[in-house]
Amino acid sequence: MASHRRPKQTSRARVTVLTTAAAAAVVLSSQAANAAPSEKPSKDEVKTKVDKLYEEAEQATEKYNGAKEKQEKLQKEISTIQDNVARGQEELNELRDSIGMAAAAQYRTGSIDSSLQLFLSSDPDDYLDKASTADQLSAQQVEALKKIQEKQRELAQERSEASGKLTDLASTRTELGKKKKEVQAKLAEAQKLLNSLTAAEKAQLAAADARASRSSTARVDLSGAPAGSSRAMAAFQAAQSKIGSPYVYGATGPSSFDCSGLTSWAYAQAGVGIPRTSQAQANAGTRIYSQSDLQVGDLVIFYGDMHHVGFYAGNGQVLHAPRTGTVVRYESINNMPFQFGVRI
């Protein structure tokens, strides 16, 4: 007898799921087909983003400059300590040799005393601690051994100091590397945005920047501006001689500069040493909080974190190295958030 089985029916749930999925796929396909392609940012939007990235890069640049300055300072200090240790070791060796020669002389006469025997076989610190043998030493020998003790302590302290500074140097170098990468990443991101512009858009931005520089320069009139000290004016004139030099992060001249690189270089030409970073330069002299009290040659600090610095040029203008992609130029003091001036 034949077996009759009813065909297995597809469950309603399964049909519903498949139907829903198919419908969703059709809707998504339709949306994808009709969706407008993502719009390319406008020239002005790119400029706004690039300016922001350049500002962030400059913030990182000043931190990079600070780490670099600290590294150079540590290297000099370590070198000095190491020189002192080398000289101290030579002095210690000479002191030991003088004691050794005295011992040799006594040995040749067969009268080497026990104090020198003890010295030659153990630490002088341990020997001098033994008061019972002190009367066996001549005054000259006691003095020589005390000098050896003192020199050993000095060398131990200097070696310890050098070790600490070497550890600090390693940490500073790591920080320097991080800040350098941070600057480079910001600049690369800005360049990527600029590369998205057409040649005509790039030319328009460059022309606008050039017009701003020429316009600002035309407004600078130093004839009636209150002049600073002779050294401040000498520093300002040195900076003027670098108008047109490109901004390069970490650069201190003489052919390219970042903001604090220009000010520190210019003051150095006037025979005045000031710190390397804008934050440190903010504390290098008397602060002037009113723009009306500024004199030509005063430093001008911008932004709440003090990451930008320039020279006051008179007539409401500053002379500075603005940012990547620009050159040393005059610009309105009101183009950036003024904090205070610094009279060196």
Side-chain angles (χ1 to χ4, degrees), residues 81-104:
I81 292 171
Q82 289 174 335
D83 287 345
N84 290 341
V85 168
R87 283 195 297 270
Q89 188 62 55
E90 288 179 5
E91 292 173 11
L92 180 60
N93 292 341
E94 288 174 3
L95 288 170
R96 283 175 169 164
D97 288 346
S98 66
I99 293 290
M101 288 171 65

Side-chain angles (χ1 to χ4, degrees), residues 235-309:
F236 177 70
Q237 289 163 3
Q240 281 182 309
S241 72
K242 295 302 177 180
I243 289 175
S245 298
Y247 178 104
V248 175
Y249 86 89
T252 57
S255 56
S256 59
F257 305 87
D258 61 21
C259 71
S260 57
L262 174 66
T263 50
S264 58
W265 175 86
Y267 262 102
Q269 308 316 299
V272 180
I274 64 174
R276 171 65 177 90
T277 67
S278 58
Q279 290 91 347
Q281 290 177 16
N283 297 312
T286 303
R287 292 189 176 185
I288 312 295
Y289 289 96
S290 173
Q291 290 187 24
S292 62
D293 293 333
L294 292 172
Q295 297 176 353
V296 176
D298 285 343
L299 299 181
V300 187
I301 306 297
F302 297 96
Y303 299 96
D305 64 354
M306 302 181 291
H307 73 260
H308 190 75
V309 63

Side-chain angles (χ1 to χ4, degrees), residues 69-83:
E69 184 179 39
K70 183 179 179 182
Q71 174 186 253
E72 291 170 353
K73 182 181 178 183
L74 283 169
Q75 286 174 327
K76 288 179 182 177
E77 290 175 350
I78 290 168
S79 178
T80 298
I81 292 171
Q82 289 174 335
D83 287 345

